């Protein structure tokens, strides 16, 4: 035994911004969006259903503003999430909609794709006008090498 850490086959990880990208990732935000939807006469269930409609699995790790001392554009939030997942930054894909989040992902050394805007945020590696449009590419990124099918 050499004491060297042996990594299993490399895996890919997807780190998603919440506000503007997923919206419905944590219970507290669910309450905020329900209040907001009511104020503007929108269907709260429609707002809540956005995450479910993407077909993406519920994340095992959530890093919010309370978990970090430095927010975006600092790379700290994305590096903390990667660390909690046991992921190397180069194995992470960040999904973002805002310039500060794009900068955070890039500074963390991660691949960054932009969503939910007509024009690409400067610096993104790939751009999609909606999260729904990006889902097939996100699932392909996260799929282990050699695996076929979705999921």
């Amino acid at each position: 035994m050499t004491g060297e850490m042996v990594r299993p086959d490399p895996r890919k990880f997807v780190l998603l911004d919440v506000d503007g990208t997923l919206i419905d990732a944590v219970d507290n935000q669910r309450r905020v969006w329900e209040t907001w939807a009511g104020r503007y006469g929108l269907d709260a269930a429609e707002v809540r259903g956005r995450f479910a409609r993407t077909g993406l699995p519920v994340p095992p790790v959530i890093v919010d503003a309370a978990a970090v001392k430095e927010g975006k554009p600092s790379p700290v939030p994305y590096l903390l999430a990667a660390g909690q997942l046991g992921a190397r930054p180069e194995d992470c894909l960040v999904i973002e909609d805002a310039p500060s989040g794009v900068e955070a992902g890039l500074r963390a050394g991660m691949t960054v794709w932009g969503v939910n805007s007509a024009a690409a945020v400067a610096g993104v590696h790939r751009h999609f006008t909606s999260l729904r449009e990006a889902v097939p590419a996100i699932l392909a990124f996260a799929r282990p090498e050699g695996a076929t099918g979705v999921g």
Side-chain angles (χ1 to χ4, degrees):
M1 186 146 216
T2 64
E4 290 181 23
M5 190 170 164
V6 177
R7 280 188 66 85
D9 292 338
R11 296 185 301 157
K12 300 292 184 175
F13 299 83
V14 179
L15 309 178
L16 294 121
D17 174 49
V18 175
D19 284 333
T21 302
L22 290 180
I23 296 173
D24 184 24
V26 291
D27 290 339
N28 186 46
Q29 287 187 335
R30 193 169 287 138
R31 288 189 298 275
V32 169
W33 281 105
E34 284 175 0
T35 301
W36 179 84
R39 182 177 303 144
Y40 292 97
L42 300 172
D43 179 4
E46 176 67 19
V47 174
R48 253 193 334 272
R50 184 172 183 181
F51 187 86
R53 286 192 311 271
T54 68
L56 295 170
V58 176
V61 171
I62 295 175
V63 174
D64 61 12
V68 294
K69 291 184 180 185
E70 294 180 40
K72 299 171 194 172
S74 167
V76 169
Y78 283 125
L79 291 172
L80 178 61
Q84 289 181 9
L85 290 165
R88 300 176 305 181
E90 60 269 22
D91 292 330
C92 295
L93 168 63
V94 169
I95 307 298
E96 262 292 351
D97 70 313
S100 63
V102 168
E103 183 179 342
L106 294 171
R107 289 176 62 198
M110 300 174 178
T111 300
V112 181
W113 291 355
V115 298
N116 296 343
S117 64
V121 173
V124 296
H125 296 101
R126 196 165 173 190
H127 171 255
F128 300 89
T129 57
S130 70
L131 180 59
R132 180 179 296 279
E133 177 190 349
V135 167
I138 293 169
L139 292 173
F141 175 91
R143 188 175 300 121
E145 288 186 34
T148 59
V150 175

